[in-house]
Structures are given as structure tokens and as C-alpha cells.
Amino acid sequence: MNLSSISLTLVPNLTGKSPTEAATELRAAGLELGVIREVGPSGSMIVLEQSTLPLTVAPRGTRVNLLVGVA
């Protein structure tokens, strides 16, 4: 693999967003939605944590896993 051919992108901050909003922002940044893990009772879910730190740089296509819970 040629390192100069790797395209990087800024990881958005998804905390507090709905899973749908998070997926849209990830696609817009060139990233992919990974596993969504739910905690707590069901209800209006928001992102509590993400596997790739927000506002860091990652290669395009990186999968970002989400931990979601009730708002």
C-alpha cells in the first residue's frame, strides 16, 4: 500500500446526536457506521460514545462504532 494514496478526513463529534444523524454525518465525512450498541431502556436514543475520538483525523472508510442510550 502506498501511504501517499491514503485519504484522511476529520471525525465528527457525534455525541448527543440520534443514530440516524450520526450515520448521515459519518457518510458526509467519508467514514462508515460500524456497530451500534444500545445500553439502558429503550426510548429516544442518542450517541453517548464513539469508538474513534471526535475531531481527530482518520483514513476515509474507517468504521466508527457507537454506544447509544436514552436521551
Side-chain angles (χ1 to χ4, degrees):
M1 178 186 334
N2 183 350
L3 292 179
S4 64
S5 67
I6 295 175
S7 180
L8 301 175
T9 187
L10 188 65
V11 178
N13 182 0
L14 304 172
T15 304
K17 310 263 174 153
S18 73
T20 302
E21 291 172 321
T24 300
E25 286 199 29
L26 287 170
R27 274 194 302 276
L31 301 166
E32 295 185 24
L33 179 61
V35 175
I36 298 177
R37 198 175 60 156
E38 295 182 11
V39 295
S42 51
S44 182
M45 297 288 191
I46 62 167
V47 176
L48 302 174
E49 293 179 16
Q50 61 193 82
S51 62
T52 306
L53 291 175
L55 307 178
T56 58
V57 176
R60 289 189 181 276
T62 296
R63 288 186 168 276
V64 179
N65 301 322
L66 304 177
L67 177 67
V68 298
V70 176

